[in-house]
Amino acid sequence: MGALALVLPLLAFVTLSFVVPLATLLSKSAYQPEVSEVFPETMHVLARWNGEGLPPEAAFAAMAGELAKALDERALPRASGAINRVQGGMRGVLNLTARRLARTDFAGTWRETLAGISGDWLQPRTWLAIREAGAPFTLRHYLQALDLERKEDGSIGFRPEDSRVYTPLMWRTLLVSLGVTLLCLLIGYPIACMIANSPPKRSRLLLLLVLVPFWTSLLVRTTAWIVLLQRQGVINGLLVGLGILPDDARLQMIYNMTGTFVAMTHVLLPFMVLPLYSVMRSIPPSHMPAAVSLGASPLKAFRRVYLPQTLPGIGAGSLLVFILAIGYYITPALVGGRTGELISSQIAYHVQTSLNWGLAAALSSILLVAVTVLYLIYSRVVGIERMRLG
Amino acid sequence: MSQPAPHVEYLAVHKRYADSDWVVRDLDLELNRGEFLTLLGPSGSGKTTCLMMLAGFEPATTGDIRIDGVSVAGLPPDKRGLGVVFQNYALFPHMSVGANLAFPLEVRGLSAGQRRERVARALELVRLEDFEDRRPNQLSGGQQQRVAIARALVFEPELVLMDEPLGALDRRLREQLQYEIRRIQRQLGVTVLYVTHDQTEAMAMSDRVAVFRAGRIEQVATPEVLYEEPQTPFVASFIGENNLLKGRIASVGRGVCEVEVAGQRLQAAHISDLPPGSETLVAIRPERVNIAPLPMRYSNEFEALVEDISFLGDHLRVRLEVCGNSDFIAKIPNIVGHGGILPGDQARIGWGALDCRALEAASY
Ligand SMILES: Nc1ncnc2c1ncn2[C@@H]1O[C@H](COP(=O)(O)OP(=O)(O)O)[C@@H](O)[C@H]1O
Ligand SMILES: [Mg+2]
């Protein structure tokens, strides 16, 4: 009981700062009550409509009444945005209708009245869009996030190649993350090896060098790469100055994939080195000589004796770097340009600019699932208890 | 050259590490085929370094090391074909015991059938037949050590190096394994270069012992000779126990000399070429000292003050003050009791002239 009290603050903190926001966000990806809250009566009528032709007069009447009410209560933008995402142009139709209604004479039926304001009200797809947007639980965001769409006949299929937005970005994110992980491993392994097998004094110094970037702002590190890599930057300047490159053939190394790769690898390298180092430090230094004394060449001794023992570190480091890379935002946003952009920037765009939180949440959930699957595979293959993080 | 070359020769080997002082100085040592030779010395005296130079992990700074008369300088360690047992076993934790043993056979390209047969034979040799499928961390310390020994022998090397292989084990297990290592060595006829800082272990196992001190060999001899005829004060006090009395040689006779210690004279075996007047340390084994309340008839007899008596079962350990030396130890076998001697008593102690040796003090 006393021990429980001790972890209570931590529990509260984790719940408030992690579990609740995450759950809220995830729920937004499939649950969006705005439209049904603003147009409850309309949705009620539409629920009984078979979807063919136009809905009954009751739907037009309910819509007219609720539009006026929403305008009064300033609730319209919330709902119209959600409907607009299902069908472009609906925001305008709804706003126009709401504002004009008060000044328009009743034309006998609400259907005629609304049609008088905007011809769109006589289009069945208008009502289908409203009905779809009004469903509080929807997989629409997931369909959109996966570049799927509902076809005319109701079946679900991929959008045409040239209008896919998110799946190419996800593939790119996945490949870049894998690439960065691999680069970090290739660069980090020898470094960790060297730190773990140096005399204590040198090992401390090297470890410090690995950790220094942690004490430097991420923005500073990223902009430093801009200074180095840009067309008029240090590296290009050096290459041109040394006559290796002609002045008009300066390399484009930033605001593209190269920039993303270089900067991300640099930023994430410590997360690879530290777990590797921690595992390597625990390997007795006599193992390599022992293997060699048994007749194995140094290369063979490394492959058969050293490398297998570092697998838990390779796993932990790779997993860590991969997970961080797949959701990485600032660095690719700053140095990636258009071609080096990752899925995270789309998520940020929908959170901050388009305010389509449902889609942002769906994209995030897909990332979360991908990472979780990876983690499960890893724990199956390597065994999570063998993973060493530090 | 009628005589075959020794199995291993260190010829004037010196060694220093990059930023260190000399770690091994002027080492000359020969191992004969089938011999069990132990490097004995305190920690840091350069024993491991000697082993590593022979195994090929460290180059000698100057001098030469030969195996069967052929210099091994420049021969990489994986081509030397020596079995090495490391201080902490160095078993590979990700391989089973069987795989650990099969490893040296595998890198030598032996077929699976040969490997299986040899592994089984090696496990039998160390009496671990049923442990082939275990992981090293599922074994006790003693069992791990046996596996390490089996692994160093499984590829049938003619020369095996062992660096404090029993250092981490408790006393009983250590004694048991000492005996077993010795049995295996005799059975296979391999040459063993063994390292330890435990003189009892060195005495119990070795054909010959080389006593190391600060990178130099003080004496190489059989355990018996080391004990009975130490050449230096260091060997005298490192092997077993010895009382060292500081004095000056007064006169030299035939094989015997007279030494003046704190104003008194004593007779000691004269084993060096120290001339009269030189400083010396006279070494007397505690068990060679007799105590009695009354005068005896020894060449060396002194009045002593009994400071302390401990009962240790098979013997009594008596601490005395003799000739201004307050840490003089005498051991009395538990046969006749202690003759009524009590702390604070005056007693007479005595020993024969040839029971003590006048050693060169300068080297201590
Ligand atoms: N790789 C090394 N680099 C520098 N100095 C070393 C190294 N190995 C051992 N030494 C030094 O050499 C001396 C002898 O060490 P060592 O041969 O291990 O002695 P022992 O095995 O008798 O304890 C010690 O002072 C030790 O600090
Ligand atoms: Mg040592």
Side-chain angles (χ1 to χ4, degrees):
Chain A
M1 199 55 224
L4 193 65
L6 282 177
V7 299
L8 221 54
L10 176 70
L11 220 60
F13 178 76
V14 169
T15 310
L16 280 178
S17 70
F18 184 70
V19 178
V20 170
L22 196 69
T24 316
L25 188 75
L26 289 188
S27 71
K28 278 208 194 312
S29 68
Y31 177 64
Q32 49 146 46
E34 296 93 349
V35 176
S36 58
E37 275 167 14
V38 176
F39 303 119
E41 185 61 30
T42 313
M43 296 321 297
H44 189 70
V45 177
L46 286 181
R48 275 171 286 146
W49 171 47
N50 63 5
E52 281 168 23
L54 284 172
E57 169 69 10
F60 287 87
M63 178 49 89
E66 283 169 342
L67 267 178
K69 184 155 165 274
L71 190 66
D72 280 348
E73 294 171 358
R74 301 179 185 280
L76 190 57
R78 259 195 322 143
S80 65
I83 297 171
N84 194 61
R85 276 183 221 117
V86 179
Q87 186 170 321
M90 279 305 292
R91 194 198 313 270
V93 174
L94 288 165
N95 284 343
L96 179 81
T97 312
R99 272 184 282 108
R100 286 262 185 90
L101 258 179
R103 289 182 274 118
T104 305
D105 299 325
F106 186 63
T109 61
W110 283 109
R111 176 172 159 166
E112 294 305 315
T113 313
L114 290 183
I117 298 172
S118 167
D120 282 321
W121 290 113
L122 293 181
Q123 302 285 345
R125 61 190 167 92
T126 301
W127 292 98
L128 286 170
I130 293 173
R131 188 169 74 166
E132 191 182 334
F137 291 96
T138 173
L139 289 178
R140 189 155 40 80
H141 299 307
Y142 282 99
L143 291 184
Q144 196 178 350
L146 293 170
D147 284 332
L148 294 167
E149 63 183 359
R150 217 179 276 282
K151 298 267 192 291
E152 302 286 316
D153 58 5
S155 68
I156 292 175
F158 277 107
R159 285 171 198 275
E161 195 89 44
D162 53 352
S163 62
R164 291 180 199 171
V165 181
Y166 304 108
T167 43
L169 259 186
M170 277 183 202
W171 281 118
R172 184 197 285 172
T173 306
L174 200 71
L175 289 179
V176 168
S177 300
L178 282 175
V180 166
T181 307
L182 201 68
L183 267 178
C184 280
L185 185 61
L186 288 179
I187 300 171
Y189 197 94
I191 297 178
C193 216
M194 186 167 159
I195 300 177
N197 294 303
S198 291
K201 226 162 112 189
R202 184 160 3 128
S203 138
R204 265 197 304 277
L205 180 73
L206 289 172
L207 205 57
L208 199 73
L209 289 181
V210 171
L211 288 173
V212 162
F214 274 139
W215 304 335
T216 319
S217 154
L218 183 63
L219 283 172
V220 172
R221 279 182 279 158
T222 307
T223 39
W225 278 115
I226 299 180
V227 172
L228 282 173
L229 296 180
Q230 62 193 344
R231 281 186 87 86
Q232 302 301 324
V234 177
I235 292 180
N236 267 318
L238 216 60
L239 289 175
V240 172
L242 290 174
I244 298 170
L245 276 183
D247 195 26
D248 53 357
R250 286 172 180 260
L251 298 174
Q252 180 67 40
M253 293 182 291
I254 201 138
Y255 308 124
N256 60 13
M257 203 55 121
T258 316
T260 300
F261 259 103
V262 170
M264 275 178 76
T265 303
H266 171 240
V267 169
L268 295 177
L269 193 57
F271 295 97
M272 181 64 88
V273 172
L274 292 179
L276 277 175
Y277 164 70
S278 129
V279 168
M280 287 171 177
R281 205 186 35 181
S282 69
I283 301 175
S286 60
H287 279 189
M288 284 291 282
V292 170
S293 79
L294 293 170
S297 65
L299 198 68
K300 184 144 203 163
F302 171 77
R303 211 163 46 74
R304 293 286 318 274
V305 173
Y306 199 77
L307 188 64
Q309 291 191 64
T310 58
L311 280 181
I314 294 179
S318 303
L319 199 65
L320 205 58
V321 169
F322 184 83
I323 289 176
L324 286 171
I326 212 169
Y328 224 79
Y329 171 57
I330 297 186
T331 302
L334 284 178
V335 301
R338 268 319 285 177
T339 53
E341 175 192 69
L342 300 184
I343 193 74
S344 55
S345 59
Q346 278 300 318
I347 297 178
Y349 168 77
H350 285 299
V351 169
Q352 295 166 348
T353 310
S354 84
L355 300 184
N356 188 354
W357 285 30
L359 181 57
L363 288 169
S364 307
S365 309
I366 290 169
L367 276 190
L368 188 66
V369 168
V371 168
T372 310
V373 167
L374 206 84
Y375 176 85
L376 289 178
I377 293 174
Y378 175 83
S379 65
R380 269 291 153 77
V381 175
V382 179
I384 215 65
E385 71 284 351
R386 285 185 54 201
M387 187 160 96
R388 297 275 298 269
L389 281 175
Chain B
M1 274 227 340
S2 56
Q3 197 140 346
H7 196 170
V8 177
E9 290 168 282
Y10 288 88
L11 298 173
V13 171
H14 290 256
K15 171 71 184 176
R16 78 195 304 173
Y17 290 102
D19 48 356
S20 77
D21 202 2
W22 291 105
V23 168
V24 172
R25 296 172 231 221
D26 200 19
L27 175 73
D28 279 298
L29 187 65
E30 292 184 357
L31 267 87
N32 300 314
R33 198 162 270 281
E35 187 177 29
F36 194 118
L37 190 137
T38 297
L39 308 183
L40 171 67
S43 162
S45 56
K47 310 177 298 288
T48 300
T49 304
C50 287
L51 229 55
M52 290 302 131
M53 286 191 290
L54 179 54
F57 294 113
E58 288 290 344
T61 312
T62 66
D64 197 15
I65 298 175
R66 296 185 183 164
I67 296 180
D68 287 325
V70 180
S71 171
V72 290
L75 193 63
D78 51 311
K79 300 281 185 293
R80 295 198 180 189
L82 314 179
V84 184
V85 179
F86 286 81
Q87 212 155 354
N88 54 5
Y89 319 144
L91 296 178
F92 308 140
H94 58 295
M95 299 182 190
S96 69
V97 167
N100 263 282
L101 293 192
F103 182 76
L105 306 175
E106 195 187 314
V107 299
R108 283 175 171 73
L110 266 69
S111 73
Q114 285 172 307
R115 291 203 298 256
R116 217 170 309 121
E117 187 213 339
R118 292 245 201 134
V119 167
R121 227 186 314 143
L123 282 174
E124 196 183 343
L125 191 67
V126 296
R127 308 194 170 144
L128 284 176
E129 292 91 336
D130 301 333
F131 292 82
E132 189 170 345
D133 298 325
R134 298 266 191 104
R135 287 288 169 115
N137 61 9
Q138 296 170 314
L139 302 180
S140 72
Q143 289 167 337
Q144 290 184 32
Q145 189 51 74
R146 286 160 197 253
V147 175
I149 292 168
R151 191 178 65 178
L153 291 168
V154 70
F155 56 97
E156 299 177 356
E158 297 179 330
L159 176 59
V160 180
L161 316 182
M162 302 191 183
D163 190 357
E164 313 218 7
L166 309 180
L169 306 176
D170 62 42
R171 198 171 58 84
R172 276 186 52 125
L173 205 54
R174 214 157 56 213
E175 283 169 6
Q176 192 184 331
L177 273 165
Q178 285 168 10
Y179 167 76
E180 266 196 55
I181 291 175
R182 195 59 221 243
R183 169 182 67 78
I184 292 167
Q185 186 258 338
R186 291 221 173 93
Q187 188 176 330
L188 301 178
V190 292
T191 309
V192 171
L193 184 56
Y194 192 94
V195 163
T196 181
H197 63 260
D198 179 347
Q199 49 107 1
T200 327
E201 190 169 300
M203 303 282 276
M205 303 177 78
S206 321
D207 295 321
R208 286 193 302 153
V209 178
V211 181
F212 264 66
R213 177 178 170 220
R216 272 184 212 283
I217 290 186
E218 292 254 320
Q219 190 173 352
V220 191
T222 63
E224 199 176 335
V225 168
L226 275 186
Y227 192 84
E228 300 292 353
E229 298 165 20
Q231 295 297 320
T232 69
F234 179 78
V235 175
S237 57
F238 197 74
I239 307 288
E241 207 174 7
N242 247 318
N243 294 297
L244 293 176
L245 294 177
K246 198 169 176 170
R248 189 174 295 279
I249 293 185
S251 64
V252 177
R254 187 176 294 168
V256 182
C257 60
E258 207 165 48
V259 181
E260 191 183 305
V261 178
Q264 308 198 50
R265 292 275 169 123
L266 64 76
Q267 310 255 318
H270 187 241
I271 53 138
S272 58
D273 48 9
L274 288 175
S278 35
E279 298 243 328
T280 184
L281 283 167
V282 179
I284 312 119
R285 294 278 176 204
E287 71 269 21
R288 298 285 167 85
V289 178
N290 295 283
I291 305 188
L294 296 169
M296 299 166 283
R297 283 198 307 268
Y298 284 107
S299 325
N300 301 313
E301 275 197 36
F302 298 96
E303 282 292 321
L305 173 68
V306 178
E307 293 191 321
D308 196 17
I309 302 179
S310 332
F311 178 73
L312 292 172
D314 61 335
H315 70 270
L316 290 174
R317 193 180 163 82
V318 183
R319 203 154 58 83
L320 303 142
E321 193 190 312
V322 181
C323 305
N325 252 306
S326 63
D327 280 326
F328 197 91
I329 304 291
K331 283 185 188 171
I332 307 171
N334 184 9
I335 306 170
V336 287
H338 50 75
I341 299 168
L342 294 171
D345 284 356
Q346 285 288 332
R348 289 191 71 77
I349 58 171
W351 62 89
L354 295 179
D355 284 335
C356 61
R357 296 162 67 82
L359 304 172
E360 210 171 329
S363 66
Y364 195 51

